[in-house]
Amino acid sequence: MNIVILAAGTGSRLLHHTQNTPKALVKLAGTPLLDYQLRVFKQLGLSKINIVSGYLEQEFEPYSFRRFVNEDFQQSNMLYSLMKAKILFTEGEDLIISYGDIIYEAHILSALIKQTGDIVVSADKNWQLLWDLRMEDPMQDAESFIYDDNNNILELGKPLTSAADAQAQYIGLIKISAKCLPKVVQAYDSLGLNNTKNMYLTDFIQHLIDIKMEVKASFHQRGWLEVDTVEDLSRYEALVKNHQYKVLGLRAEYFQ
């Protein structure tokens, strides 16, 4: 099983924290975000790790995994970064895609791996507790996530028209089965570069849903964080310092 971490962006909302550091290497409680992910991969026996860097890409040199570079990181988005590692779509192994600015406990990734389906998306059913912690109006930031009785995702990543459309929230962690990878590349290529360079990954997944590809949900409740802003980082640091792990939604041992 291959893993690719998407870490090309500038992380501009983290201001001074990313002036000389890529977002994935910003420290939370003294540990780079990337290192939390690497601990989880090691715990689950996953060693085929790849990263797509861009901004300050030389800062990833101390890490031994295979690196790809999105040199056009300032004028592109996650999907374009992912396809810089397109060779991973030809190696005949399932592919885990992980955003570089999230951390998560091992049980979340383990559940994603165990969930069958061509494409599987990790989603938090108890998302509002984290959104309430991070922002004044969670509904303004939340996006649609609608699924059926068989956990097939019908819609995600669109602005909310109703709170009922946020049945869960996408966290930036995806699995694509080996047999489905060529179909995903074909779908990407058919859209053309002009339509995909600035496309959000959620929009591309929605396109896959629209063309009748199977996209399943792997559900969990809390057990993860996104570090997107200075305010996120400050809140999380304060909670860790005061041992308020339950509020964070992570176990105390995660930070040890």
Side-chain angles (χ1 to χ4, degrees), residues 60-122:
F60 293 100
E61 289 178 0
Y63 293 88
S64 59
F65 38 69
R66 181 163 48 167
R67 291 189 294 136
F68 302 90
V69 179
N70 175 7
E71 296 177 346
D72 205 10
F73 60 88
Q74 290 184 313
Q75 284 81 40
S76 61
N77 218 314
M78 287 280 200
L79 177 60
Y80 186 76
S81 287
L82 173 61
M83 290 301 168
K84 287 295 180 179
K86 191 183 280 190
I87 191 173
L88 300 178
F89 288 70
T90 67
E91 294 185 348
E93 299 190 47
D94 290 357
L95 179 64
I96 299 290
I97 302 163
S98 179
Y99 287 11
D101 62 353
I102 60 175
I103 64 174
Y104 41 86
E105 293 185 347
H107 69 87
I108 291 176
L109 181 55
S110 179
L112 180 76
I113 292 169
K114 291 176 183 177
Q115 174 64 54
T116 59
D118 290 345
I119 302 166
V120 185
V121 173
S122 187

Side-chain angles (χ1 to χ4, degrees), residues 221-241:
Q221 297 190 39
R222 306 292 302 278
W224 73 287
L225 297 174
E226 177 188 24
V227 183
D228 190 48
T229 66
V230 172
E231 291 77 17
D232 285 341
L233 194 59
S234 297
R235 290 188 185 99
Y236 301 157
E237 290 279 8
L239 289 168
V240 172
K241 183 178 180 180

Side-chain angles (χ1 to χ4, degrees), residues 140-202:
Q140 187 175 1
D141 181 80
E143 298 176 332
S144 66
F145 195 106
I146 302 171
Y147 61 94
D148 66 16
D149 292 340
N150 295 313
N151 292 349
N152 294 298
I153 301 174
L154 307 176
E155 179 182 303
L156 84 163
K158 297 182 180 180
L160 290 182
T161 57
S162 165
D165 291 342
Q167 297 175 329
Q169 283 295 287
Y170 170 84
I171 75 167
L173 188 62
I174 306 159
K175 181 187 71 173
I176 306 177
S177 69
K179 69 176 183 178
C180 189
L181 287 169
K183 298 177 185 177
V184 171
V185 172
Q186 184 178 20
Y188 173 81
D189 289 342
S190 69
L191 290 171
L193 182 60
N194 289 338
N195 295 316
T196 57
K197 190 170 184 179
N198 289 292
M199 181 179 275
Y200 291 108
L201 193 46
T202 48

Side-chain angles (χ1 to χ4, degrees), residues 19-30:
Q19 185 174 353
N20 299 301
T21 306
K23 192 177 186 183
L25 297 183
V26 168
K27 292 183 179 180
L28 171 60

